[in-house]
Amino acid sequence: MNDIVERINKLKKEKNAIILAHSYQNIEIDLVADYVGDSLYLSRKAKDTNADIIVFAGVYFMAQTAKIISPEKKVLLPDINAGCLMADMINLHQTVDFKNQYPGLPVVCYINSTAEVKAECDICCTSSNAVEIVKSLNSKRVLFVPDANLGKWVESRLDSVEVITYNGNCPVHHNVTVSDIMHARKKYPDAKILIHPECKPEVSVLGDYVGSTSGIINYVKKSNEKRFVIVTEKGVAERLERDYPDKEFIIIKDNMLCDSMKLTTLEEILYALERERHEITLDDSVRELSSNCIERMLRVSK
Ligand code: 13P
Ligand code: SF4
């Protein structure tokens, strides 16, 4: 493993490349990553970097977002099969059909979506700024694609805004139930329960904290508590266990695993850098329109 890490680090220097890694990645990816975090943090890093090449250790929509924001850079996705089940639930035509059912309403697009879908929407959001973004529209009714759970969670956080949601979800988070949380509360009464808002809103409302992957990690960082139930993909709990050995982390259930996120390996990152594969490309008009959607979010969300 040391050999691969060394070769990756050497290539990064030679090619002026950086590696951005999502917190759900296999934990060894952190050995070569320049930045590890949530979707919003990584988007900002993609925008601000002076690197010529960005290797995105994450899923397709994340690498595509980096390319939208930084079109002059070469963006590489080490495993081309790393998709997102939620992003696959809505395409361009479904977005247009949904909009046509509610003419004139602003459309918020969760970042977990393709560039074509973003190009049809007014403003993007991530799990860490969704409430702020919907609020910024000053509209009594807002369309939200594709995550129904996040959209309804946002609605519950705002006074008198109706969030009309498309029927998408993340199967990893959608599978957590109210009884899973009640059971955890009973078994670990002293633990703080930290939940990602891609869970059903009736699940999220039971959490001590609801937030993005980085939000959950920061909550632990600031807390004096010793025990936490982590209600998101396993990668977050694994990183917390590594970084806070004096605290205890319980993963809500065994199957909190995003298969796509685990496809990327150190070997694939090495090949990606050596052969500059798989490069993300975008049609100019889609890039321009989807860029408006993301840039608007970055202006609103400081
Ligand atoms: P974050 O914005 O919290 O990183 O979430 C991304 C994601 O895909 C969660 O399933
Ligand atoms: Fe997509 Fe869910 Fe995986 Fe996140 S955890 S990348 S929303 S499938």
Side-chain angles (χ1 to χ4, degrees), residues 22 24 38-39 61-62 110 112 126-127 170 173 196 198 212-213:
H22 191 266
Y24 294 164
D38 69 4
S39 314
F61 79 79
M62 295 179 175
Y110 189 30
N112 296 32
T126 75
S127 57
C170 163
H173 292 86
H196 195 283
E198 284 176 14
S212 73
T213 52

Side-chain angles (χ1 to χ4, degrees), residues 256-298:
M256 297 303 288
L257 184 71
C258 175
D259 292 331
S260 285
M261 280 283 184
K262 305 303 190 208
L263 288 175
T264 310
T265 60
L266 285 173
E267 284 82 358
E268 277 185 319
I269 291 181
L270 179 62
Y271 297 146
L273 271 168
E274 275 175 351
R275 298 167 205 181
E276 299 191 13
R277 70 166 202 183
H278 304 95
E279 186 177 354
I280 305 292
T281 55
L282 275 168
D283 176 271
D284 278 349
S285 66
V286 171
R287 198 209 70 78
E288 207 178 307
L289 289 169
S290 54
S291 165
N292 293 342
C293 177
I294 297 170
E295 292 292 346
R296 195 170 167 199
M297 166 185 80
L298 294 174

